[in-house]
Amino acid sequence: MHEMALAESILTTLEEQARRHDYARVRTVWLEIGPLASVEEQSLRFSFDVVVKGTLADGARLEIETRPAQAWCLPCCKSVAVARRFDACPECGGHQLQMTSGDELRIKELEVD
């Protein structure tokens, strides 16, 4: 279950940012997770709750936003939304797509005290 490692990494980032920006508590964490990031949302929520117990983020709310994956279609020279890797271009049906987003996991915003 790599979601536990992801939750630990998120906590490490929160702690580093708390030292850098001098805050003591995290109330809400907004994550942006691409649909191709291979993250199981419920497992990440569970792992986050376990990992943050007794830390500056204990009890923090985890908000998760997803956006469609994007790719650049070489034949039609357009940025297009795709549901899965190796999908055909929804515009021209071509298969020469270069993924430009969709596999990211990033902390988008924090609410802190």
Side-chain angles (χ1 to χ4, degrees):
M1 180 161 89
H2 79 286
E3 283 80 1
M4 187 66 75
L6 292 173
E8 290 169 346
S9 180
I10 292 166
L11 177 60
T12 299
T13 301
L14 296 176
E15 292 169 340
E16 289 170 359
Q17 292 302 307
R19 285 190 294 279
R20 181 178 288 164
H21 299 286
D22 196 33
Y23 58 82
R25 181 144 174 77
V26 176
R27 299 250 179 234
T28 308
V29 177
W30 282 269
L31 294 179
E32 187 174 86
I33 302 176
L36 308 177
S38 299
V39 175
E40 208 301 306
E41 185 178 327
Q42 292 301 66
S43 294
L44 180 59
R45 288 183 185 282
F46 174 80
S47 298
F48 181 80
D49 288 343
V50 168
V51 166
V52 300
K53 291 279 188 224
T55 72
L56 78 161
D58 194 353
R61 200 174 69 221
L62 187 61
E63 298 289 336
I64 297 176
E65 297 177 16
T66 58
R67 292 190 172 165
Q70 295 287 314
W72 181 256
C73 179
L74 297 171
C76 67
C77 296
K78 292 182 181 178
S79 181
V80 295
V82 293
R84 295 177 307 277
R85 291 187 195 280
F86 311 114
D87 274 357
C89 174
E91 297 287 324
C92 72
H95 286 280
Q96 293 176 305
L97 298 176
Q98 181 177 15
M99 298 304 298
T100 57
S101 69
D103 60 355
E104 61 277 328
L105 184 151
R106 69 176 135 242
I107 297 172
K108 182 177 178 184
E109 189 176 340
L110 298 174
E111 179 185 0
V112 300
D113 292 337

